[in-house]
Amino acid sequence: MPQDKRDEVFGPGFTRREFMKAAGAGAAFVAAGGLAPQLLRAAAGGAGPTVAVVRAPGLLKLGKADQLKKFKAMIDTGLAKASGQSAPTVLKKHFSGVEFISMKVNPVGGKLMGANPRMAQALCEQLMDVGVKENSMIIWDRADKELLVAGYKLNKSKKGVRCVGTDVIGYDEKEITSGSVTALFSRILTRYTDALINLPVMKTHGAAGISIALKNHYGSFDRPNKCHANGCDPFIADVNAVSLIKDKTRLIVVDATRPQYNKGPMPVEEFRWDYEGIVVGFDPVAVDAVCANIIAQKAKNEKAEPWKNVGSALPRHLLTAQSRGLGVADLKKIKVITTEI
């Protein structure tokens, strides 16, 4: 798609002038230190990250409308437990006034295992409840087709929450190098994101061990196929060390309704189970470590080994991410609050 046409992909009237205004707001936002450090301090009084696990027995048996309501209640509870503040307070404090909020979902696996669209919808509605304009929110991944297959409704207009793939918007023209990774990143991330929300799925991965928050960003750049050697390590950490991701990430909400404890990343029904939960946090490494621990317990019970030494060790890319200063992987330093609603 020609460069000038890409700039109009979100509908007539979204001009380069508007983009520059938004980019300026985003630059000031990051220059001020971003919000992630504040959120991490708020999460556990400065002592370390807090991760909330919220389960809702019966969630999967609900109809769409009731499931949406339940997801809202789960996100409310998760935000409150992870931050020590009410959900509206957290959302209003950290997202109102932001020009563009993008939500990186993981639709891989379609309706069987893609991030649940009703979870994303619930979060969008909660953000609108605290004053966020619906058209400032963008749900995205690498391809329109994958979003459609997972149940998302595409929207490139200037009304409603936008939903679009990078294959339509394109990748930025400037390569970024971070450690072992040199790549072009999605223009949704480089141009239309001031605050980033990560909406992954709790599942295993044949190479990396797990594919949750950190590996979700393999859908954010143009050459993930070159980053799978050595258990995807150090590639996963290097991708997440890019400032576009590290400095803009504000929140992680993991779809843990039907996780997978072996094989992957595509769904294998014999290795999935009804957990009926979400995992909420502000530190992507801590969130992944908590999710990995849940998976490890299930895998051990089922005598599966999704990664080496699953009973006593985390996937190694989490330790690399911790060493890069991207978050906390040591479970002893993470406060985990598990709640059932």
Side-chain angles (χ1 to χ4, degrees), residues 69-92:
K69 292 178 182 178
K70 184 64 73 173
F71 270 124
K72 286 183 178 180
M74 294 168 76
I75 294 170
D76 272 347
T77 300
L79 284 170
K81 297 294 184 182
S83 70
Q85 302 172 333
S86 70
T89 298
V90 173
L91 294 177
K92 188 170 184 178

Side-chain angles (χ1 to χ4, degrees), residues 35-117:
L35 295 177
Q38 297 175 34
L39 285 166
L40 291 171
R41 286 195 295 272
T50 298
V51 175
V53 180
V54 184
R55 302 186 67 183
L59 174 69
L60 293 171
K61 296 179 181 178
L62 297 176
K64 292 181 179 180
D66 288 336
Q67 195 175 88
L68 176 63
K69 292 178 182 178
K70 184 64 73 173
F71 270 124
K72 286 183 178 180
M74 294 168 76
I75 294 170
D76 272 347
T77 300
L79 284 170
K81 297 294 184 182
S83 70
Q85 302 172 333
S86 70
T89 298
V90 173
L91 294 177
K92 188 170 184 178
K93 180 178 180 180
H94 300 300
F95 291 102
S96 61
V98 176
E99 190 76 18
F100 289 115
I101 300 170
S102 82
M103 301 183 186
K104 171 62 177 72
V105 299
N106 186 342
V108 176
K111 291 181 180 179
L112 283 176
M113 200 160 66
N116 195 312

Side-chain angles (χ1 to χ4, degrees), residues 265-286:
M266 299 305 290
V268 182
E269 282 302 306
E270 65 179 292
F271 299 128
R272 302 181 69 205
W273 84 105
D274 293 350
Y275 191 74
E276 297 183 305
I278 63 171
V279 181
V280 180
F282 308 107
D283 175 334
V285 182

